[in-house]
Amino acid sequence: MIRNNKRNKYFRNSRTSRSMHQLRILFTALLLLCGLYAQAQKFTINGTIKAKSSGEALIGAIVKVNELPSVGAVTNEYGFYSITLPEGDYTVSVSYLGYQVSEQKVILSEDITQNIALIEEGQLLEEAVVKSEKADVNLSRNEMGVMKLDIKTANKLPVIMGERDILKTIQLMPGISSAGDGNSGFYVRGGSADQNLILLDEAPVYNASHLLGFFSTFNSDAIKDVTVYKGSIPAEYGGRLSSVLDVKMNDGNDQKYHVSGGIGLISSKLNVEGPIQKDKSSFLITGRRTYADMFLKLSNDSTLNNSKLYFYDLNAKVNYKINDKNRIFLSGYFGKDVLGVNNSFGFNWGNTTATLRWNHIVNSKLFSNTSVIYSNYNYNISINGNGVDFDIKSRINDWNLQQEFQYYLSTKHTMKFGFNTIHHTIAPGNISSSDNQINSTDYKDKYAWENAVFVSDEWKINEKLNLNFGLRGSSFTNLGAGTYYTFNNDGDVIDSTVHASGEFINTYFNIEPRAAINYRLNEQTSIKAGYTRSTQNLHLMTNTTTSTPTDRWIPSSPNVKPEISDQYSLGYYRNFKDNLYEFSAEVYYKDMQNQIDYRNGAELTINNNIEGDLLYGIGRAYGIELFFKKRYGKFNGWIGYTLSRTERKVNGINNNEWYAARFDRTHDVSLVGMYDLTKRWTISAVWVYNTGNAVTYPAGKYSVDGQTYYYYTERNGSRMPAYHRLDLGATYTKITKKGRESSWSFSVYNAYNRYNPFTIEFQDNPNNPQQTQAVQTSLFGIVPSITYNFKF
């Protein structure tokens, strides 16, 4: 019994000992896990970067961690950044071109908010720029074919009539072609003018020109940031095939009141901004008007002194900081062009946009932007003379809800996802008349509903390899009420269907994958590749070389399918001498489906059955773009060259064979130079050259009852003469000790007086009707201008 008791006691002690041993092992393991967790535990630094002098959010500022050279972030379009790091002590360095580098010590033991205000350099000294941490952003950025326009650089370049113009500045870049003299339209990598998505504070602008294209709608004094995507288009953008021009307005100075403006030969502008409540809210108002019509009133000719020729525009913005996590913005643009001849002919058109935006920092890693957007473009033509009295009116009207999230998953992953939904109302050119000789028309408005969802991820695989991939899903639905027609092969109506209000008529679904990869060969070199699929459901009906105010927008329909583009691109990038010089070479190939052209004699303005005059086919565009730029120093500038080809193949045109698109240009060259003579004087020069547009010239003629008729063979088989031009400019700037600034800008457009062709028409030679002569029309010879600008 005693022995057994001892044995039982032994067993009990043995089991207890093993249990205690297991507890010790478990406890030790827990301690190790806690230690590992403590080591692995990470926290997030987030905040906004702004300019100290104005409170403006700085887009694309570089945030680096000095102790971890491979870790960093770039501020988004609202100045927000987020970096996740292991617990520890760090030095956060922030840099932005033209501003002093800021370094902040942080102790990271919890999630913290670190808002930083950068101090602007008194002068853009080379030493200040070179110490920027990310002067090689062109090598590290994933996207291809992306260009950020420096507003200060744009303001130094000579322009026609002295009016600074961001649209004419981007046309000096490779891959972006000008539509011609006095025109703000542009073509990107083989796309037509309507295939460019132009956004002003997220609102689409359908006609971005004033005075028939002589000026753009964008007043440079109101603009903070301009980004052009012509290659790898991010998944959050959609609706156009060729490019995105994303323009952001200034928010308004929340520190001090400022007034600036300019007085030119034919236009003047004024800008007022300042705090409503310092550090919390601010406003911006910028206005511009031309006054060419005032000079007409000096004429003794009653036709001229009763005529109108002017435009005006107004940019306005207010913002309010609710707290550190919430901020709201309200911005708007209002522009109108007025052209009238002696009360017998009137023509006006204009854009209106409004954006209500709410920025919300959900947490240290998640940023939200919610926008409600309104856009309206309309035109009105009035004719009252010679017994004829009628008006033609048209408009396109959009309401858009857009939601975007940016999620900073880790230092290697940044995700974007969201949606947008747009309701389109499109009014064709209706005629109203009290004249019995003119039949009034009441074409019904067209309604459509466009939706999209998107997601993208920027993934830093390692220090050399970055990947950006995204997916966009879009749908486009035609809505009632309305009548839709069926056409035969000759374009004649053979059937019609009437749909009730709000009825879903048909829907197109499209998936748009996007991908870009960047491999860093070494500190000075990188190679990139990209693929982008885009779709377009709004189409501009024009038979001119560029858009005009009376061109019509039509939606996709049962007859008109969405345009689709697949673009493949490959690029080589190299920097030299501590990033002082940069060079890039990009090749691209673009395959396009459902391209639209017109039957001979098509009427595009007043035609309720316009779809019957349309023909459809495919397109292709390919080329190489070379770019060399000197960034800093007294002398800087760039050379751009594009070698390209753009073709279409449409059933029923050119014997169903490939033909050159009318905006096809083989060669496109731009040389841009700026030199600081002194602290006050800067001179600049621009020289451009491009192959003439493809055109269809008559191959012969015949006469019927004394009337000459021409016949044509190959579509766009001829060329306009080559275009070239030299512009010169000089700017004198004076800054007082109190910070007041004034400048005089002198420019000479087309300095060697080249008469470039705008149009070429053919007619019988008056002296010998058997001969045909070509008559060239040119818009400009040499055009000098002078502008005075001020700021205080």
Side-chain angles (χ1 to χ4, degrees):
M1 291 292 295
I2 296 175
R3 189 180 297 134
N4 290 336
N5 286 338
K6 287 182 177 179
R7 186 183 296 122
N8 291 337
K9 183 179 180 180
Y10 170 78
F11 284 136
R12 285 196 300 270
N13 290 338
S14 178
R15 285 194 298 268
T16 302
S17 177
R18 282 198 299 270
S19 298
M20 291 298 295
H21 181 64
Q22 290 170 350
L23 286 172
R24 290 192 194 98
I25 294 175
L26 180 60
F27 183 69
T28 304
L30 287 173
L31 288 176
L32 289 173
L33 287 173
C34 288
L36 290 172
Y37 175 77
Q39 277 192 329
Q41 191 171 9
K42 296 184 176 182
F43 300 101
T44 300
I45 308 172
N46 76 93
T48 57
I49 308 300
K50 65 178 184 178
K52 186 177 180 64
S53 60
S54 65
E56 289 279 354
L58 296 179
I59 303 171
I62 308 301
V63 185
K64 298 284 288 182
V65 179
N66 291 355
E67 290 79 7
L68 301 170
S70 63
V71 175
V74 178
T75 57
N76 67 8
E77 56 267 43
Y78 312 106
F80 179 79
Y81 75 94
S82 176
I83 303 176
T84 301
L85 301 167
E87 183 177 2
D89 296 350
Y90 298 100
T91 304
V92 177
S93 174
V94 182
S95 59
Y96 189 78
L97 188 64
Y99 289 77
Q100 296 180 10
V101 175
S102 172
E103 293 188 345
Q104 306 283 332
K105 297 286 186 180
V106 297
I107 300 174
L108 193 60
S109 57
E110 60 181 354
D111 290 347
I112 61 173
T113 297
Q114 190 77 20
N115 298 322
I116 299 172
L118 298 185
I119 300 173
E120 189 172 5
E121 291 284 352
Q123 280 187 318
L124 196 59
L125 300 177
E126 184 173 349
E127 295 78 11
V129 174
V130 169
K131 74 177 184 178
S132 170
E133 295 285 346
K134 205 68 174 179
D136 62 347
V137 67
N138 61 313
L139 303 179
S140 58
R141 183 171 50 211
N142 284 357
E143 297 90 355
M144 294 182 61
V146 178
M147 184 200 78
K148 291 188 75 69
L149 179 64
D150 180 12
I151 300 298
K152 292 182 179 179
T153 298
N155 289 342
K156 294 180 181 179
L157 297 179
V159 290
I160 187 170
M161 300 179 187
E163 186 67 29
R164 299 164 180 171
D165 195 328
I166 63 171
L167 290 189
K168 289 183 173 61
T169 303
I170 67 170
Q171 293 167 15
L172 300 173
M173 297 296 175
I176 305 177
S177 302
S178 166
D181 266 338
N183 208 300
S184 297
F186 59 98
Y187 313 121
V188 178
R189 290 188 172 180
S192 56
D194 70 308
Q195 293 177 352
N196 305 310
L197 177 62
I198 301 176
L199 300 173
L200 178 61
D201 268 5
E202 304 179 43
V205 178
Y206 284 97
N207 189 313
S209 64
H210 283 306
L211 288 185
L212 301 174
F214 289 101
F215 303 97
S216 80
T217 58
F218 302 115
N219 185 340
S220 62
D221 286 354
I223 303 305
K224 173 168 63 174
D225 183 80
V226 179
T227 305
V228 183
Y229 300 91
K230 59 181 180 176
S232 300
I233 299 177
E236 59 264 31
Y237 297 106
R240 301 292 187 275
L241 292 194
S242 292
S243 74
V244 176
L245 175 64
D246 193 355
V247 181
K248 305 290 187 186
M249 288 172 52
N250 287 319
D251 296 331
N253 195 311
D254 67 3
Q255 300 297 309
K256 296 180 180 179
Y257 294 99
H258 285 285
V259 177
S260 62
I263 303 172
L265 294 179
I266 66 167
S267 69
S268 293
K269 54 189 176 181
L270 184 67
N271 176 76
V272 181
E273 61 180 323
I276 300 173
Q277 186 177 356
K278 190 173 181 180
D279 291 319
K280 198 173 184 69
S281 58
S282 62
F283 74 93
L284 167 76
I285 300 175
T286 301
R288 179 174 56 162
R289 192 191 192 279
T290 58
Y291 32 74
D293 56 316
M294 297 181 182
F295 296 106
L296 297 178
K297 295 186 181 301
L298 301 177
S299 172
N300 294 324
D301 188 330
S302 60
T303 301
L304 290 178
N305 59 36
N306 287 322
S307 296
K308 299 177 181 178
L309 179 63
Y310 67 89
F311 76 80
Y312 64 87
D313 54 31
L314 178 71
N315 295 78
K317 192 169 186 177
V318 294
N319 71 89
Y320 178 71
K321 182 180 179 182
I322 301 172
N323 52 42
D324 287 340
K325 291 191 174 185
N326 294 278
R327 191 164 192 167
I328 56 174
F329 303 81
L330 177 62
S331 61
Y333 168 83
F334 315 91
K336 178 73 76 174
D337 284 73
V338 178
L339 172 63
V341 179
N342 196 28
N343 299 320
S344 62
F345 173 79
F347 183 20
N348 63 77
W349 68 94
N351 293 279
T352 300
T353 70
T355 304
L356 176 61
R357 189 171 72 234
W358 171 36
N359 286 174
H360 174 53
I361 300 175
V362 182
N363 56 46
S364 60
K365 291 188 176 185
L366 185 60
F367 182 90
S368 168
N369 178 65
T370 307
S371 300
V372 178
I373 304 162
Y374 172 77
S375 177
N376 177 276
Y377 170 70
N378 65 82
Y379 70 79
N380 182 30
I381 302 173
S382 297
I383 297 178
N384 184 10
N386 298 322
V388 178
D389 181 11
F390 66 92
D391 292 337
I392 305 174
K393 297 181 179 180
S394 181
R395 79 179 193 282
I396 179 169
N397 190 84
D398 289 350
W399 282 98
N400 182 3
L401 172 63
Q402 185 168 291
Q403 174 63 56
E404 178 183 318
F405 293 99
Q406 296 182 31
Y407 183 46
Y408 299 83
L409 187 63
S410 68
T411 56
K412 292 186 176 181
H413 289 275
T414 301
M415 296 185 66
K416 288 186 179 181
F417 55 95
F419 70 88
N420 72 288
T421 179
I422 310 173
H423 184 271
H424 302 285
T425 303
I426 303 172
N430 288 320
I431 299 176
S432 59
S433 174
S434 57
D435 191 335
N436 294 329
Q437 300 179 30
I438 304 296
N439 293 324
S440 297
T441 64
D442 186 17
Y443 299 142
K444 299 300 182 183
D445 292 352
K446 298 287 187 181
Y447 303 98
W449 186 26
E450 189 169 8
N451 294 280
V453 293
F454 65 88
V455 61
S456 65
D457 181 18
E458 185 170 349
W459 178 20
K460 186 174 183 180
I461 300 173
N462 54 47
E463 292 186 8
K464 290 192 171 183
L465 185 61
N466 287 352
L467 177 65
N468 192 319
F469 54 91
L471 188 65
R472 182 180 181 89
S474 63
S475 70
F476 189 89
T477 302
N478 294 106
L479 302 173
T483 302
Y484 284 76
Y485 300 95
T486 303
F487 303 89
N488 62 18
N489 292 334
D490 296 325
D492 300 321
V493 176
I494 59 175
D495 196 7
S496 63
T497 306
V498 178
H499 297 273
S501 177
E503 181 181 347
F504 280 38
I505 298 168
N506 73 297
T507 300
Y508 291 104
F509 294 97
N510 282 287
I511 301 297
E512 305 171 33
R514 317 275 175 93
I517 188 169
N518 176 19
Y519 183 73
R520 192 76 174 258
L521 295 175
N522 51 49
E523 291 297 320
Q524 296 81 33
T525 312
S526 70
I527 56 174
K528 304 179 186 180
Y531 166 74
T532 299
R533 166 165 279 213
S534 302
T535 62
Q536 181 165 336
N537 286 290
L538 294 177
H539 320 279
L540 187 65
M541 300 296 98
T542 177
N543 52 13
T544 61
T545 56
T546 185
S547 61
T548 64
T550 56
D551 292 336
R552 282 183 59 182
W553 289 90
I554 66 169
S556 294
S557 70
N559 296 306
V560 183
K561 293 181 173 59
E563 299 177 71
I564 299 175
S565 168
D566 293 282
Q567 182 178 174
Y568 310 85
S569 50
L570 179 67
Y572 172 83
Y573 305 81
R574 177 66 189 269
N575 287 3
F576 306 90
K577 293 191 67 174
D578 293 329
N579 301 306
L580 178 61
Y581 300 93
E582 69 172 89
F583 169 79
S584 67
E586 295 185 13
V587 295
Y588 67 89
Y589 181 86
K590 186 186 294 185
D591 180 68
M592 293 171 279
Q593 306 173 41
N594 305 327
Q595 298 300 285
I596 300 174
D597 214 320
Y598 316 102
R599 300 179 190 272
N600 292 331
E603 170 56 51
L604 304 182
T605 304
I606 308 171
N607 184 357
N608 196 37
N609 299 329
I610 190 173
E611 294 179 3
D613 287 330
L614 304 182
L615 298 172
Y616 309 95
I618 58 176
R620 63 188 181 193
Y622 47 91
I624 181 171
E625 300 167 2
L626 304 178
F627 183 67
F628 181 78
K629 180 179 181 180
K630 183 177 184 290
R631 294 175 164 183
Y632 318 122
K634 284 191 172 183
F635 174 76
N636 59 82
W638 66 83
I639 302 173
Y641 171 70
T642 305
L643 174 66
S644 63
R645 183 70 172 165
T646 304
E647 297 173 305
R648 298 289 188 267
K649 185 178 181 181
V650 177
N651 290 332
I653 296 178
N654 204 50
N655 296 319
N656 301 335
E657 299 293 334
W658 288 99
Y659 60 92
R662 60 179 176 269
F663 40 84
D664 172 64
R665 291 176 182 168
T666 307
H667 305 285
D668 203 317
V669 183
S670 60
L671 306 178
V672 179
M674 291 160 283
Y675 183 69
D676 295 329
L677 283 174
T678 66
K679 290 183 178 180
R680 293 186 176 181
W681 278 101
T682 298
I683 58 175
S684 59
V686 173
W687 184 77
V688 295
Y689 171 92
N690 59 66
T691 304
N693 286 344
V695 292
T696 304
Y697 286 157
K701 66 179 182 179
Y702 57 92
S703 179
V704 177
D705 296 331
Q707 182 70 36
T708 299
Y709 296 91
Y710 297 95
Y711 68 89
Y712 302 84
T713 54
E714 183 181 0
R715 175 72 68 97
N716 293 341
S718 302
R719 290 279 174 182
M720 298 274 276
Y723 180 100
H724 53 89
R725 187 189 79 240
L726 173 67
D727 304 333
L728 301 174
T731 301
Y732 174 81
T733 304
K734 182 180 179 180
I735 303 176
T736 68
K737 293 182 180 180
K738 295 182 178 180
R740 296 181 178 180
E741 180 179 327
S742 63
S743 67
W744 289 92
S745 295
F746 309 89
S747 67
V748 179
Y749 183 88
N750 195 9
Y752 52 73
N753 203 32
R754 159 79 174 180
Y755 283 95
N756 289 295
F758 184 72
T759 61
I760 295 180
E761 297 179 348
F762 293 85
Q763 65 183 30
D764 292 339
N765 188 330
N767 300 320
N768 184 359
Q770 300 302 315
Q771 294 181 347
T772 301
Q773 65 181 17
V775 179
Q776 174 179 307
T777 301
S778 300
L779 291 182
F780 303 114
I782 185 170
V783 182
S785 63
I786 180 173
T787 304
Y788 172 71
N789 297 293
F790 59 89
K791 182 177 181 179
F792 58 87

